[in-house]
Amino acid sequence: MSEIHNYTMNFGPQHPAAHGVLRLVLEMDGETVVRADPHVGLLHRATEKLAESKPFNQSIGYMDRLDYVSMMCNEHAYVRAIEQLLGIQPPDRALWIRTMFDELTRFSNHLMWIGSAALDLGAMTVFLYAFREREMVMDMYEAVSGARMHATYYRPGGVYRDLPEQMPKYQESRWTKGKALQRKNEWRDGSLLDFIEAFVRDVPARIDEYEALLTENRIWKQRTVNIGVVSPERAVQMGFSGPMLRGSGVEWDLRKKQPYAKYDEVDFDIPVGVNGDSYDRYLVRVEEMRQSAKIILQCVEWLRANPGTVMLRNFKVVPPTREEMKDDMEALIHHFKLFTEGYCVPAGETYAAVEAPKGEFGCYLVSDGANKPFRVHLRAPGFAHLSGFDEMASGHMLADAVAVISTLDLVFGEVDR
């Protein structure tokens, strides 16, 4: 008999959620994965170095483009790091708005994940359902910032502006008219807060629809149960965080353990898994969407009852208003200097982390007293999760490698910083 040897194959780069930049070198024994070697760096855009070449306040927009599915959460970590070095605290209303939009971002991220993960494993309908709701979150982004994705809404000292009193409406067109137009504008007669509240109260029924398609679906369970199992001990050792860590049964969530913004004033639960497999991580993300809706409703109630300012009145770091610029030439000059030269940040170093949808997203920031960061280093959860891919995929079939990639919830903007 001739001796049979393992063979090596290229897997990718073609995974749709990775935008064609994940290359896996798989050592195969027939259809079984023996070893998996992820190759990263194909997307590298030097975000950290770019941030070191610009004033502090000009790099917020770069953060949106890291994990481009969890935009405002990335901004939050960077802005918090600047605020810690400056020793400033945003107004309460700004912190409540940040908490609300962090959770809307988490919901949007998990919608993208559940849709693309189901699509990877052969289920298309969930993707269409999930994007129906995700479109509304994009409308909320657009209402406060003017941009559907890369908002640059969080600023050192607060947020760009208060929530608008009128939610924009869809206009009649050749594609949208009659009942279709009426349905699209159903919740848009009031303010953005009214729209968010109507959306969030409707969310549990929508999540029930996703679960009806997947949770007890025997094909979905065959593809995810006991696939990519990670023990609690190994999850901690490999630096997992977020749903990847909680799916293994470790109850760790920065919103509870190291609260920031207004998370210490809202009531919510931390969902955890039992088996540490792909199915448990799915269940954790689904329950996180329900908990996010619970948090958002509490934020809406507080914001309704407590009007106020959303930005510090500290002209060393905050630009003057448009009204002030029209009446005061000095304010106008200050505005231009602030946006071209920025401001000097006291020398020191800090680390600020947030519980982003994919896990702990952190920003290590070093200032030498100049108007630009001396060092910026970003702690991306996806990078740690990808390092565990070999261990999670080994011993599984080639088709199961797709399920493992999906459960990691990778976005390469943050992995290949």
Side-chain angles (χ1 to χ4, degrees), residues 44-341:
H44 189 52
R45 296 174 295 176
T47 300
E48 293 162 334
K49 287 297 160 193
L50 283 168
E52 290 168 13
S53 70
K54 291 178 168 49
F56 285 90
N57 58 342
Q58 288 188 17
S59 296
I60 301 170
Y62 281 123
M63 303 300 137
D64 288 302
R65 290 154 175 81
L66 289 163
D67 177 359
Y68 37 78
V69 188
S70 319
M71 299 73 73
M72 288 200 195
C73 290
N74 305 339
E75 295 176 22
H76 203 167
Y78 180 67
V79 166
R80 280 190 69 218
I82 296 173
E83 288 170 347
Q84 287 175 12
L85 287 176
L86 287 170
I88 60 177
Q89 176 75 0
D92 276 357
R93 186 172 174 85
L95 294 176
W96 279 98
I97 290 174
R98 288 184 184 180
T99 305
M100 182 174 71
F101 269 97
D102 275 13
E103 293 308 308
L104 286 167
T105 303
R106 189 180 319 280
F107 191 76
S108 172
N109 180 97
H110 289 348
L111 287 174
M112 169 68 89
W113 176 82
I114 199 172
S116 56
L119 198 61
D120 287 342
L121 301 186
M124 183 158 187
T125 309
V126 188
F127 187 84
L128 303 175
Y129 280 27
F131 267 66
R132 176 188 60 192
E133 274 71 67
R134 193 169 183 270
E135 183 71 19
M136 296 187 191
V137 180
M138 296 293 97
D139 288 344
M140 296 170 200
Y141 265 50
E142 188 175 8
V144 293
S145 70
R148 284 169 50 82
M149 287 182 67
H150 305 312
T152 321
Y153 180 56
Y154 296 1
R155 308 288 172 89
V159 294
Y160 163 56
R161 65 172 184 171
D162 207 345
L163 306 175
E165 287 300 318
Q166 181 60 53
M167 187 67 187
K169 290 187 175 184
Y170 283 95
Q171 302 297 313
E172 184 171 334
S173 69
R174 57 191 288 193
W175 299 281
T176 309
K177 58 179 67 175
K179 288 185 178 179
L181 180 65
Q182 189 178 343
R183 188 169 60 249
K184 279 180 172 286
N185 287 329
E186 187 178 2
W187 298 332
R188 296 169 185 267
D189 288 331
S191 66
L192 173 59
L193 269 183
D194 296 330
F195 181 77
I196 292 173
E197 182 177 6
F199 170 77
V200 173
R201 290 194 186 281
D202 186 59
V203 152
R206 304 286 78 81
I207 299 173
D208 289 343
E209 290 178 356
Y210 315 147
E211 289 213 73
L213 290 166
L214 292 181
T215 303
E216 294 302 327
N217 183 311
R218 63 187 179 87
I219 301 173
W220 177 255
K221 293 181 82 169
Q222 286 166 352
R223 295 299 307 274
T224 56
V225 173
N226 292 328
I227 302 298
V229 177
V230 182
S231 69
E233 296 76 23
R234 285 299 293 149
V236 171
Q237 289 164 3
M238 290 191 288
F240 284 8
S241 57
M244 291 294 294
L245 181 62
R246 294 190 285 276
S248 292
V250 181
E251 192 178 335
W252 178 263
D253 190 316
L254 292 180
R255 296 172 297 170
K256 288 278 192 185
K257 307 299 182 183
Q258 299 171 11
Y260 54 95
K262 289 297 178 180
Y263 282 111
D264 55 346
E265 297 184 33
V266 292
D267 175 46
F268 67 100
D269 299 318
I270 304 174
V272 292
V274 178
N275 301 317
D277 57 11
S278 295
Y279 186 67
D280 271 15
R281 291 187 279 274
Y282 154 74
L283 292 176
V284 164
R285 289 183 172 108
V286 167
E287 182 56 29
E288 280 193 4
M289 287 196 280
R290 296 188 189 276
Q291 295 300 320
S292 289
K294 186 176 174 182
I295 294 170
I296 294 164
L297 270 180
Q298 295 172 68
C299 293
V300 168
E301 289 174 11
W302 191 96
L303 289 165
R304 280 196 196 287
N306 296 274
T309 181
V310 296
M311 184 64 89
L312 281 181
R313 295 288 288 171
N314 181 340
F315 291 131
K316 290 184 178 179
V317 295
V318 177
T321 64
R322 287 182 179 274
E323 289 73 18
E324 289 167 334
M325 285 190 287
K326 288 174 181 176
D327 297 333
D328 187 348
M329 179 59 73
E330 191 175 332
L332 184 64
I333 294 169
H334 175 62
H335 167 87
F336 283 113
K337 285 184 70 68
L338 200 60
F339 280 102
T340 54
E341 298 176 11

